[in-house]
Amino acid sequence: MLKPDATILGAGLMGRLLACALAQRGHRVEVIDAGGPEAAHAAARVAAAMLAPLAESAVTELNVVRMGQHALARWPQLLATLERPVFFQQLGTLVLWHRQDAAEAERFAGQLARTSAALPSLPQAQRMNGEALTALEPSLAGRFAQGLYLPDEGQLDNRELLAALAHQMQVLGVTVRWHTARNPDELDPGPDAWLFDCRGLGGQPQWGALRGVRGEVARVLAPGVNLSRPTRLVHPRYPLYIAPKPEGVFVIGATEIESDDLSPASVRSTLELLSAAYTVHPGFGEARIIEMGVQLRPTLPDNLPALRLSAPRRMAINGLYRHGFLIAPAVLDAALELVEQGHSPLAETLGLAVIR
Ligand SMILES: Cc1cc2nc3c(=O)[nH]c(=O)nc-3n(C[C@H](O)[C@H](O)[C@H](O)COP(=O)(O)OP(=O)(O)OC[C@H]3O[C@@H](n4cnc5c(N)ncnc54)[C@H](O)[C@@H]3O)c2cc1C
């Protein structure tokens, strides 16, 4: 059998996307992951997978927002290359707040307005009164007097995506070694072959500046709740969201804690997340808790992603932090340009760091 000409360490979000893209381009790809196809060790398994560039602009930089804009257009194209369907929607984001958080909401709205002024191509936030909110989400009738609607923002089902990508790797003949933890130093793919390090926080030994940012999320089954789009609740401690997934499942998240601690979700976080969801819709009172998930977001000191070329054909892709799904297609396209052209005009346009 011919040796692979591209080895990818880590088959979370980035590794799987890259494996499929390279295999589609005719590369002989090998993937090595510490976990199995269900991605139990990946941040990607726990994520809410919201694709919300404007909403995220309240907590991130304009270049991430630009990457998100690029990615929102690219996701449907990428999903169309997969044999298995993946839930994807672009019905916008709803932002709500309780009366006591009105000052925080004004600050949030001000940040979005500054983003819109800087990036006029991004659809602007629309102020909504109670009537308009009811028209958008009838099950919230009478519960909120004001809100913001962020058109065109999206989300996808992370677990369907990970499964569809694993299946696609098989279809494309990618060699996969599951349950195999490796460092790049332990591999010798040869000087003509590419070696990609997409291990997320697992890449810390080689990228010492990486840190974990702990996130806790609840997955609940709430067939009695009819919310059709991701809904954010302005919250004084962290951006809180409820993301509806197929078949009555909702992802409620997420805490944001500077810690590498992967122990189970705390009582405080669980109470805060679930009670906040209950204040948005009382139907969550009868929801069933399917899972309290915990994972660490792989994060660089500036909270921004980076592509690092440490030697010829040796690339590490990391620092996707809380925006992996939002920006992955942009990071992927830049990585492919670096492989094919040796430089990335897209990375320059989007302000994505390429470290040599
Ligand atoms: C609670 C939470 C909520 C989130 N919500 C969102 C959201 O709504 N929108 C959004 O855009 N992003 C979100 N994210 C962020 C997103 O999940 C991450 O940015 C993304 O998963 C990072 O992708 P990655 O491929 O770099 O790393 P990961 O997805 O973590 O994958 C890394 C892979 O490397 C493997 N690995 C590690 N060490 C080794 C080793 N030594 N050898 C082999 N394999 C190894 C792991 O098994 C894993 O499969 C969220 C994250 C969390 C934790």
Side-chain angles (χ1 to χ4, degrees):
M1 204 167 86
L2 281 171
K3 274 189 75 170
D5 63 14
T7 297
I8 302 172
L9 267 182
L13 173 62
M14 208 56 235
R16 289 182 200 209
L17 280 171
L18 185 61
C20 290
L22 289 172
Q24 276 158 4
R25 284 163 174 73
H27 289 269
R28 294 182 307 278
V29 183
E30 176 187 39
V31 170
I32 302 172
D33 195 278
E38 70 294 341
H41 302 306
R45 180 173 172 81
V46 165
M50 286 177 304
L51 314 170
L54 182 57
E56 285 294 304
S57 75
V59 289
T60 189
E61 316 256 336
L62 278 183
N63 42 2
V64 170
V65 182
R66 283 193 198 95
M67 288 176 225
Q69 271 187 288
H70 175 91
L72 257 179
R74 283 284 284 131
W75 270 119
Q77 296 167 1
L78 289 171
L79 298 181
T81 66
L82 304 179
E83 268 188 11
R84 294 204 172 154
V86 176
F87 168 78
F88 171 88
Q89 66 162 209
Q90 226 177 323
L91 295 179
T93 301
L94 196 58
V95 181
L96 303 171
W97 55 89
H98 295 296
R99 200 161 301 163
Q100 68 271 22
D101 295 321
E104 187 67 21
E106 272 316 307
R107 200 183 59 80
F108 183 88
Q111 276 164 330
L112 302 199
R114 281 190 288 283
T115 305
S116 298
L119 293 176
S121 58
L122 201 61
Q124 291 188 13
Q126 299 167 12
R127 293 228 179 224
M128 303 246 132
N129 60 19
E131 208 176 315
L133 285 174
T134 303
L136 208 57
E137 290 289 2
S139 70
L140 294 179
R143 301 197 57 80
F144 293 87
Q146 297 179 63
L148 293 171
Y149 174 55
L150 284 44
D152 283 356
E153 296 207 323
Q155 64 153 336
L156 53 76
D157 188 303
N158 54 327
R159 294 186 181 179
E160 273 184 12
L161 174 69
L162 290 167
L165 287 168
H167 173 77
Q168 203 63 29
M169 292 195 297
Q170 263 185 341
V171 171
L172 291 164
V174 172
T175 307
V176 189
R177 289 159 65 191
W178 298 118
H179 305 292
T180 308
R182 290 285 181 275
N183 283 319
D185 326 345
E186 295 174 297
L187 301 171
D188 182 17
D192 297 331
W194 277 92
L195 177 57
F196 298 93
D197 186 349
C198 298
R199 288 175 299 159
L201 203 58
Q204 207 177 29
Q206 279 70 37
W207 203 330
L210 271 170
R211 71 184 198 281
V213 177
R214 175 180 163 99
E216 298 151 292
V217 292
R219 273 190 174 242
V220 304
L221 181 65
V225 177
N226 279 318
L227 285 178
S228 46
R229 53 181 58 71
T231 299
R232 295 191 176 216
L233 186 66
V234 174
H235 186 280
R237 289 207 318 117
Y238 36 74
L240 196 134
Y241 51 74
I242 302 168
K245 303 294 176 188
E247 293 172 14
V249 171
F250 291 81
V251 176
I252 302 169
T255 56
E256 176 107 19
I257 301 166
E258 287 289 337
S259 166
D260 278 356
D261 171 16
L262 255 182
S263 65
S266 70
V267 169
R268 176 210 289 263
S269 299
T270 307
L271 286 171
E272 282 190 358
L273 292 173
L274 297 181
S275 54
Y278 181 61
T279 67
V280 171
H281 195 302
F284 283 114
E286 283 307 314
R288 297 295 182 260
I289 302 169
I290 308 170
E291 179 185 315
M292 284 302 303
V294 178
Q295 258 301 344
L296 304 175
R297 305 171 179 93
T299 310
L300 287 167
D302 56 6
N303 295 350
L304 296 173
L307 302 160
R308 189 174 72 172
L309 292 150
S310 50
R313 298 196 172 78
R314 302 290 177 265
M315 189 191 298
I317 305 175
N318 221 316
L320 275 68
Y321 179 41
R322 54 177 286 139
H323 302 120
F325 290 85
L326 174 62
I327 62 176
V331 178
L332 173 71
D333 289 344
L336 293 172
E337 285 185 347
L338 287 167
V339 170
E340 286 161 5
Q341 305 167 31
H343 71 289
S344 172
L346 182 67
E348 283 163 33
T349 310
L350 297 176
L352 169 58
V354 177
I355 304 166
R356 289 175 196 269

